[in-house]
Amino acid sequence: KATVSVLYCFFTTQTMRIPALLCCLLLSQADPIREKVNFDFSWRHHLGSASSDASQPDFNDSNWSVINAPHDMLIVQPFDPKADSRQAYIPRNVGWYRKHFKLPSDWKGSSVWMYIEGSFHETTIWLNGKKLGTHVAGYTSFSIRLDDVGALFGDTENVVAVYVDASSGTGWWYEGGGLMRHNYLIRAAPVHIETDGTWSWSQNIDVSRKTATVTTSITVENSGHSPVTAHAVVTIVDVDGKTVGTANGTDTSISNGESVELPNIDIMLSNISFWSVHNPTLYNVNVSIWVDDDNEIDTISYTTGIRAIRWDADKGLFVNDEHVKLRGFCDHSNFGGVGGAVPDRVNLYRAQMLRSVGGNSWRMAHNPPIPARLDFMDRLGMLAIDENRDYGGKATGTNETVSDELNDMKDLVKRDRSHPSVMIWSFCNEVGCNNESSAKAFREVAKTWDPTRSVTQNHLGSNLSSQYLDVQGFSHKSAEVFAQFHSSNPTKPLMATECCSCMSQRGVDEDTCQHPHDGGCTDPAKKLPDGVFYNNNIGQCTSYQVAYSDTPEYVTGTFVWSGFDYLGEARGWPQNTKCRGTIADVAGFYKETAYWLRSWWLSNISRSDAGRPVNPPSDTDWTVFIIDSWTAPLSGTTRNIHVYTNAPTVKLYLNGAEVGSTDVPFFGMAQFTNVTYKSGNLSAVAFSKGKAVGWTSKMTAGSAKKIVLSIDAPSKLTQTGEWLVADGEDTALVKATIVDESGNLVPGASENVTFSITSGNGMVWATHNGDPANLSPSHAAWTPAYMGLARAFVRSTADTATPLSHRKRMLQIDADESPSVFISEREGHQNTEIIVTASVDGIPDAHISIPVTSDLRYSAINIAANLLKRD
């Protein structure tokens, strides 16, 4: 028997994404077991073209920037009015990345590959000067084999060169460019589970008896020199760590150079805790590969959930035989300041913001998502529309053929099919959807790799594609269109996969901008800053458009476009951001419409409703929110005031005296016209059955006197954790609020805010303020406040948290002379808090401490996993 040692493994879902389970395993030194090593740190980067020799190992890159992935190489460029408005007036460009590294000598004889979660757009890779290939899809994950193409092991340095051509793209929104997602080095035995080669699904589900069969498919690759006979062992473990089922597979011969799908392994389970919106229970599936009967050579662990999903043409969606009305949002994968390189903690924050207004679902628009989004949704009980990017051979800005697009669909399905949150695959939403004959081919691909899920696409043109869809999607359609389709296709389920065309800007009162339009407000005598196009009151617009699909029982649900403002698809300089967000602006600050949504999609929904989020942030039975600021009118002596609430009656008080009372219609809001202005306290009190059930107030603010710093993530208030994890990746969202002497937000404050790190292992990665016309540099440490708020992204610059064996492996691999992250070589490293300072001319500095820990229990993924656990 070989000696046994303890070796650190990053165990993840079968897609080899972010860590979903961290564990130490007893491993045989004689038989290499899978290792996964963070490959995000210390990349050399050059934006723009470089010498063709940049692909060669001896190229001098010493004057290139040293960066960490995820990294959006385009977001650092200045805004340019001559650039494409659809790309946020940020020029498309090309760029290079180079990484110097060593491969451990004990990896020799293993299979080694680089796994890239996503690199936009067309990505070409060289190893030690040898071209390995080009990946032309910008959103799908892919792997590149290294050990069989000249990789050097031991003390000899390797150089991987990556050329990313983001000079073109297929999106009409800001897509970013570069290594925008996580990267890993994977080491496994020559006989190993293929990338995305195992997944589990449920069948024979009996919800009432709490029984089901979990079936696991495994594909094994033999990259060794000899044929082998192998079998798999599958073990299913519940949330408490108890083994609830295990089974051995059948011995199968695998020739060298061959990949073989092993016979499926079925495990009958009883007393199942089914996955649902209310109870998102996950099971760990451990898959191991054995050769010669007693030699375990590869192991993968991933999570899955057991649930029954049924679509009904008359009643909508049922999850585990319970009716769920979908109340969802669509969102791109970009965010102010960081562009397309959205950190994991920020994606948890975004998911929690959706849940805080009643959202139970999220559409991945319009492309395969950052994998972490689905990992969070699995754990938070959210349902996903997982969407393909290019379709029908119609997209411009890509060299992909129809065959390439079908392969992209396959890659998407194989990567994400074990996620219980994924309820349906979407082929397309706009570009290409009118090429309806493509639906048949895309359906065949989806059903080949996942026969368990339904498929959909947006309805464009005729009904030709409908015959190949299990659920018909619609984008921005009226109630009459839904009714007509349902009447003509009574057995076809349908849903509003995209809804609502309502523009708004945080903090811009309707009194200020009564006549919003693309290009700017047209109100006479209103001197508004360039870039103010819309007001903040879109309750009525949102109300009647959401009602089209929320009201009819036969419409499965609504996906509002969008949850967040997003970079690109701008409507005119200097606006570089689309103002369609209904929950938050592009920096993640709540917009006023969030409170309309919270009123009717959360507070007004029964807690017994199977689609209502459980324990979301800011949960309340009664919402009441004054939309407008209480500042002097620009002209005249009166103001119009609006209140979002689900209460039937609202009374308005000014300095304690009642100035109005009104009833609130269903899906509506309270409106008070011609309220005489007087500085002080404006309060709204909500009543139900004669009793006060909630209140809120707005104060007239004085001049800017102070800065108040707070942390939006990690934060107990937003349910995103309490600690920043020192792993070199984790990112905090710091909010600066400019207030008067009494602590009231100054609504029009626009002072420049400079952020700095006073102490601790952190950096100001990016800044933003939520202003759709913000032209300040995204990666500067300063930004002007917008409507009194400014945002800083603070990223950890030290890894003291991942297990010591993993840190030692990273140090062994990294060969850059200027490492970008401090990696501790000892156990029990004591972290100090990160102190952030905000400075504004003429105002005292403000400081805040970000708590830092090495305890991975506080990582974003583990916070999400533990939020909804039941005792």
Side-chain angles (χ1 to χ4, degrees):
K1 274 289 183 180
T3 56
V4 174
S5 65
V6 176
L7 180 64
Y8 171 70
C9 289
F10 256 113
F11 266 3
T12 71
T13 62
Q14 83 282 7
T15 59
M16 292 170 285
R17 297 193 300 270
I18 67 171
L21 177 66
L22 300 173
C23 61
C24 288
L25 296 179
L26 293 178
L27 304 175
S28 167
Q29 290 180 335
D31 303 311
I33 296 283
R34 184 176 298 250
E35 284 186 77
K36 179 176 183 179
V37 181
N38 187 332
F39 210 51
D40 278 344
F41 302 154
S42 301
W43 285 85
R44 296 277 170 168
H45 170 63
H46 172 78
L47 179 63
S49 299
S51 164
S52 59
D53 291 335
S55 65
Q56 299 304 305
D58 57 355
F59 178 82
N60 183 4
D61 57 16
S62 60
N63 63 341
W64 285 16
S65 302
V66 182
I67 61 92
N68 299 321
H71 177 255
D72 183 347
M73 66 185 186
L74 303 187
I75 196 68
V76 300
Q77 299 178 111
F79 294 95
D80 182 351
K82 297 179 181 179
D84 190 346
S85 64
R86 297 173 301 176
Q87 294 301 311
Y89 296 105
I90 297 174
R92 291 192 184 270
N93 210 330
V94 301
W96 283 88
Y97 296 87
R98 287 167 54 89
K99 186 166 177 62
H100 301 255
F101 67 102
K102 297 177 181 179
L103 292 176
S105 56
D106 59 304
W107 281 15
K108 193 169 185 179
S110 304
S111 291
V112 180
W113 63 94
M114 180 179 172
Y115 186 80
I116 300 173
E117 283 189 351
S119 175
F120 193 87
H121 179 212
E122 297 182 356
T123 302
T124 304
I125 298 178
W126 291 260
L127 177 67
N128 299 331
K130 181 177 181 179
K131 184 177 179 180
L132 305 186
T134 299
H135 187 76
V136 295
Y139 296 103
T140 55
S141 304
F142 62 101
S143 60
I144 295 288
R145 182 94 176 267
L146 303 181
D147 64 282
D148 63 344
V149 288
L152 304 171
F153 293 83
D155 291 332
T156 306
E157 182 180 295
N158 297 275
V159 177
V160 61
V162 180
Y163 175 71
V164 184
D165 185 351
S167 63
S168 65
T170 63
W172 50 96
W173 64 93
Y174 176 75
E175 294 186 282
L179 294 174
M180 298 198 301
R181 300 179 182 179
H182 291 298
N183 308 275
Y184 300 98
L185 272 187
I186 314 292
R187 174 263 192 132
V191 178
H192 57 267
I193 299 168
E194 186 179 74
T195 300
D196 299 332
T198 181
W199 71 294
S200 299
W201 69 96
S202 305
Q203 51 188 336
N204 304 321
I205 299 172
D206 190 323
V207 175
S208 62
R209 295 184 178 181
K210 298 184 178 181
T211 60
T213 300
V214 175
T215 300
T216 300
S217 170
I218 306 128
T219 299
V220 174
E221 176 183 340
N222 181 3
S223 60
H225 301 293
S226 304
V228 298
T229 298
H231 72 274
V233 177
V234 176
T235 302
I236 300 177
V237 180
D238 69 12
V239 70
D240 297 318
K242 178 184 176 182
T243 297
V244 295
T246 187
N248 288 9
T250 304
D251 282 340
T252 303
S253 296
I254 308 174
S255 300
N256 52 304
E258 184 180 32
S259 291
V260 172
E261 183 177 356
L262 304 182
N264 290 343
I265 295 177
D266 295 331
I267 299 177
M268 287 285 297
L269 297 183
S270 59
N271 196 30
I272 293 170
S273 180
F274 289 102
W275 187 97
S276 66
V277 174
H278 279 189
N279 186 38
T281 300
L282 296 177
Y283 289 84
N284 285 316
V285 181
N286 303 322
V287 180
S288 58
I289 303 301
W290 296 71
V291 297
D292 302 328
D293 293 331
D294 63 350
N295 191 4
E296 184 184 20
I297 59 167
D298 196 18
T299 304
I300 281 182
S301 177
Y302 55 94
T303 55
T304 194
I306 303 169
R307 82 285 188 273
I309 285 185
R310 173 168 56 89
W311 304 83
D312 186 278
D314 294 318
K315 301 292 185 180
L317 177 68
F318 290 81
V319 179
N320 305 326
D321 297 335
E322 291 187 302
H323 180 257
V324 172
K325 189 74 169 185
L326 294 172
R327 305 179 188 99
F329 298 87
C330 313
D331 277 298
H332 290 303
S333 292
N334 72 46
F335 202 76
V338 295
V342 185
D344 295 345
R345 184 83 63 176
V346 174
N347 271 317
L348 173 59
Y349 175 72
R350 297 172 83 201
Q352 291 290 43
M353 291 192 82
L354 266 60
R355 285 181 6 99
S356 78
V357 301
N360 60 19
S361 43
W362 209 359
R363 178 172 146 245
M364 309 291 104
H366 303 284
N367 48 260
I370 296 172
R373 288 174 70 177
L374 297 179
D375 288 317
F376 293 134
M377 294 174 72
D378 286 347
R379 289 153 179 81
L380 296 174
M382 300 181 72
L383 293 156
I385 299 178
D386 207 353
E387 191 158 279
N388 171 61
R389 173 70 222 115
D390 297 324
Y391 176 84
K394 295 293 184 180
T396 58
T398 177
N399 292 318
E400 288 203 333
T401 65
V402 173
S403 176
D404 291 331
E405 293 172 354
L406 290 170
N407 193 65
D408 294 344
M409 187 72 207
K410 180 186 79 171
D411 289 345
L412 168 66
V413 173
K414 289 185 67 177
R415 190 192 72 174
D416 294 345
R417 55 192 171 174
S418 279
H419 285 284
S421 59
V422 177
M423 61 178 174
I424 197 166
W425 306 113
S426 173
F427 299 151
C428 62
N429 188 71
E430 271 121 347
V431 171
C433 266
N434 55 352
N435 184 355
E436 297 178 276
S437 60
S438 291
K440 180 180 180 182
F442 273 78
R443 177 186 178 87
E444 289 174 353
V445 169
K447 296 295 184 178
T448 294
W449 298 103
D450 175 18
T452 70
R453 284 181 177 82
S454 297
V455 297
T456 189
Q457 73 177 50
N458 182 23
H459 186 279
L460 288 178
S462 70
N463 291 335
L464 176 62
S465 62
S466 297
Q467 62 185 305
Y468 304 113
L469 307 178
D470 302 304
V471 180
Q472 180 63 65
F474 287 91
S475 180
H476 301 280
K477 293 296 187 285
S478 67
E480 290 75 18
V481 172
F482 294 136
Q484 183 180 10
F485 183 87
H486 181 60
S487 176
S488 302
N489 303 270
T491 62
K492 181 76 67 177
L494 63 95
M495 64 177 162
T497 49
E498 186 170 315
C499 151
C500 313
S501 301
C502 304
M503 305 281 200
S504 67
Q505 281 184 249
R506 172 176 60 83
V508 180
D509 293 345
E510 191 176 81
D511 286 350
T512 304
C513 177
Q514 295 179 1
H515 306 288
H517 77 116
D518 295 349
C521 304
T522 58
D523 305 81
K526 303 284 179 67
K527 295 182 179 180
L528 300 177
D530 288 343
V532 176
F533 292 3
Y534 316 105
N535 63 49
N536 58 6
N537 182 14
I538 56 169
Q540 184 176 4
C541 174
T542 306
S543 171
Y544 75 77
Q545 293 193 36
V546 168
Y548 292 158
S549 46
D550 193 79
T551 304
E553 189 175 30
Y554 61 82
V555 181
T556 304
T558 306
F559 286 83
V560 174
W561 188 271
S562 54
F564 296 79
D565 287 352
Y566 55 94
L567 297 166
E569 205 176 351
R571 308 305 287 264
W573 181 266
Q575 275 210 358
N576 48 65
T577 296
K578 192 66 171 285
C579 298
R580 285 267 180 89
T582 52
I583 299 175
D585 62 29
V586 74
F589 297 128
Y590 275 114
K591 296 175 75 173
E592 290 78 3
T593 325
Y595 296 90
W596 183 90
L597 289 159
R598 183 176 292 166
S599 296
W600 299 109
W601 270 13
L602 184 68
S603 296
N604 201 58
I605 303 298
S606 169
R607 292 179 182 271
S608 64
D609 185 289
R612 190 187 195 274
V614 174
N615 300 325
S618 307
D619 196 3
T620 178
D621 291 330
W622 300 100
T623 294
V624 55
F625 178 79
I626 299 173
I627 304 166
D628 316 270
S629 61
W630 189 236
T631 56
L634 293 179
S635 60
T637 60
T638 62
R639 292 286 313 271
N640 295 325
I641 299 299
H642 309 82
V643 178
Y644 291 148
T645 184
N646 60 311
T649 303
V650 173
K651 293 184 179 181
L652 195 67
Y653 297 84
L654 178 57
N655 296 327
E658 183 178 333
V659 294
S661 178
T662 187
D663 292 337
V664 180
F666 177 75
F667 255 39
M669 62 181 170
Q671 302 184 63
F672 300 89
T673 59
N674 299 319
V675 178
T676 300
Y677 175 77
K678 184 178 181 180
S679 65
N681 185 330
L682 183 73
S683 298
V685 182
F687 290 84
S688 177
K689 299 179 181 180
K691 294 183 178 181
V693 292
W695 69 277
T696 189
S697 64
K698 291 285 183 75
M699 295 290 297
T700 303
S703 59
K705 296 294 185 181
K706 302 176 184 177
I707 313 166
V708 175
L709 292 181
S710 57
I711 302 172
D712 283 340
S715 166
K716 293 180 69 174
L717 292 177
T718 60
Q719 295 184 5
T720 54
E722 301 176 55
W723 301 78
L724 188 76
V725 175
D727 62 359
E729 308 258 22
D730 206 3
T731 302
L733 292 176
V734 175
K735 177 169 72 173
T737 305
I738 297 179
V739 301
D740 66 8
E741 193 64 47
S742 299
N744 301 305
L745 168 71
V746 180
S750 59
E751 285 82 354
N752 194 73
V753 183
T754 299
F755 297 92
S756 59
I757 305 300
T758 305
S759 66
N761 290 315
M763 63 174 290
V764 178
W765 181 8
T767 56
H768 208 283
N769 57 17
D771 181 1
N774 178 23
L775 299 177
S776 60
S778 295
H779 277 49
W782 57 268
T783 185
Y786 176 67
M787 299 298 176
L789 301 179
R791 167 81 73 208
F793 299 76
V794 177
R795 179 168 175 161
S796 165
T797 57
D799 184 357
T800 65
T802 62
L804 181 60
S805 53
H806 176 254
R807 282 180 267 141
K808 288 183 175 180
R809 199 58 117 179
M810 284 197 293
L811 289 167
Q812 187 180 9
I813 289 171
D814 186 21
D816 198 279
E817 295 180 353
S818 301
S820 56
V821 170
F822 166 73
I823 299 174
S824 175
E825 297 184 68
R826 58 186 177 86
E827 200 69 82
H829 186 98
Q830 294 298 311
N831 294 287
T832 58
E833 59 193 6
I834 299 172
I835 299 178
V836 181
T837 297
S839 303
V840 172
D841 287 346
I843 297 177
D845 289 353
H847 311 275
I848 196 167
S849 297
I850 303 174
V852 178
T853 181
S854 295
D855 192 338
L856 285 168
R857 291 177 299 174
Y858 295 97
S859 68
I861 193 67
N862 285 324
I863 290 297
N866 291 311
L867 278 173
L868 304 185
K869 277 187 177 179
R870 302 291 183 86
D871 293 333

